[in-house]
Amino acid sequence: RRRVHGEIININTGKNPLEILVQACINGGAREDSTRIGSGGQVKKQAVDVSPLRRVNQAIYLISIGVRESAMKNVKSVAEVLADELIAAAKGDSKSYAIRKKDEIEKVAKGNR
């Protein structure tokens, strides 16, 4: 019998899979980003706060990209890779692709303040 990612998350953590998903979305989205501000032909980057909806969308996007890249070069099933990515993102572990990218985005934004 094949296991779905929800069962894998429950077995590995003992927690509700939806709780892990919500926590992964909270931890996976960047709080600060940088945008281009142009005036008079000059373009500079400015740090801006990110709206809550964009944070959730960005977290889901980064998690899905991380799962796709990990599953390509892995013998694990996509469900197992997804479960691992969600658990790592929920913990805030830097082995998660979403957390690494979020930290990178926030680091760039911090430099543009």
Side-chain angles (χ1 to χ4, degrees):
R1 182 174 177 267
R2 297 179 66 188
R3 296 194 186 280
V4 293
H5 64 278
E7 290 178 20
I8 297 167
I9 291 172
N10 190 303
I11 290 167
N12 288 351
T13 63
K15 293 184 179 175
N16 185 346
L18 274 179
E19 188 181 330
I20 298 292
L21 175 66
V22 168
Q23 196 61 44
C25 285
I26 291 170
N27 293 344
R31 291 179 292 272
E32 194 175 26
D33 202 351
S34 46
T35 187
R36 292 168 39 126
I37 304 288
S39 60
Q42 294 178 332
V43 176
K44 69 174 194 168
K45 287 200 157 198
Q46 175 75 40
V48 293
D49 292 334
V50 177
S51 74
L53 181 62
R54 176 155 168 75
R55 281 183 65 190
V56 171
N57 291 342
Q58 190 176 44
I60 293 169
Y61 172 76
L62 292 174
I63 289 168
S64 66
I65 295 289
V67 168
R68 194 178 320 140
E69 286 185 7
S70 298
M72 289 282 267
K73 55 190 177 198
N74 207 330
V75 294
K76 288 182 178 179
S77 70
V78 175
E80 290 171 325
V81 173
L82 176 61
D84 291 345
E85 177 73 23
L86 286 173
I87 291 167
K91 288 180 183 173
D93 189 355
S94 63
K95 108 180 156 181
S96 163
Y97 177 88
I99 298 296
R100 283 197 311 270
K101 281 296 187 183
K102 176 194 89 151
D103 291 342
E104 183 183 318
I105 291 167
E106 288 181 342
K107 189 175 175 185
V108 168
K110 191 174 184 181
N112 291 322
R113 279 187 194 159

